[in-house]
Each structure stands twice: as structure tokens, then as C-alpha cells.
Amino acid sequence: MKKDIHPEYRQVVFQDISSDFSFLTRSTIRTDETVKWEDGEEYPLVKVEISSASHPFYTGKQRVLSSGGRVDQFRRRYGARAKGGRG
């Protein structure tokens, strides 16, 4: 393999922000946040919006995502970039 062209493959904690679920796995994803894991070691942290612990397919439950509509949620997330339109 060529040197210095491959991303670092390391242990990373993924945390589902919509449930109280985290798991430790290996990944090349880059992140600035860290978290102390169950073994006392500190690992990079990646926050995800959904995982098997919160996805309706795996849980068998439907749940309300937010009190706002999907369009409002989209506009909050992407703001002015989403405005404009065709023409």
C-alpha cells in the first residue's frame, strides 16, 4: 500500500441522539468530539440521528419526529441555502 494516502482506521463511538444507545466500532470518519467509553478509554464520538435502537423498522413502533412540520425542519436545518427556487 502507498504511504500517507489512506485515512486512519480507528475505534469510534457512534451515539444515537434520539435514544440512549451508543456502540463502539471501527471507522475512518473524522470528528472533533470525544467521549469516555465503558472501558475508561476516550474515543472519538460521532452523533447520529437514527440507529437500530430508534428506527421504526427495528423497534416496531411509530414515533413522532418533531412537533414542527418536515418543511419547517428542512428550512431550520438548511436555512437560506434552501431558499431560491426555479427560474
Side-chain angles (χ1 to χ4, degrees):
M1 292 193 317
K2 291 183 180 180
K3 291 184 178 186
D4 301 326
I5 64 167
H6 299 284
E8 180 186 1
Y9 189 60
R10 61 196 175 156
Q11 290 191 309
V12 177
V13 174
F14 284 84
Q15 179 184 29
D16 185 344
I17 59 174
S18 61
S19 69
D20 196 24
F21 178 69
S22 300
F23 59 95
L24 179 66
T25 188
R26 295 182 60 86
S27 177
T28 60
I29 194 165
R30 294 175 191 228
T31 180
D32 295 328
E33 295 182 76
T34 60
V35 67
K36 193 169 226 176
W37 188 242
E38 298 163 356
D39 62 2
E41 296 292 321
E42 194 164 311
Y43 296 102
L45 173 67
V46 178
K47 293 181 180 177
V48 294
E49 293 183 16
I50 196 159
S51 71
S52 61
S54 61
H55 194 281
F57 178 81
Y58 296 103
T59 62
K61 300 175 189 171
Q62 286 292 98
R63 62 184 182 90
V64 178
L65 292 175
S66 65
S67 58
R70 290 186 183 266
V71 172
D72 291 333
Q73 185 179 7
F74 179 84
R75 286 186 179 148
R76 276 195 309 272
R77 181 176 288 170
Y78 297 105
R81 295 185 297 171
K83 292 180 182 173
R86 299 178 198 166

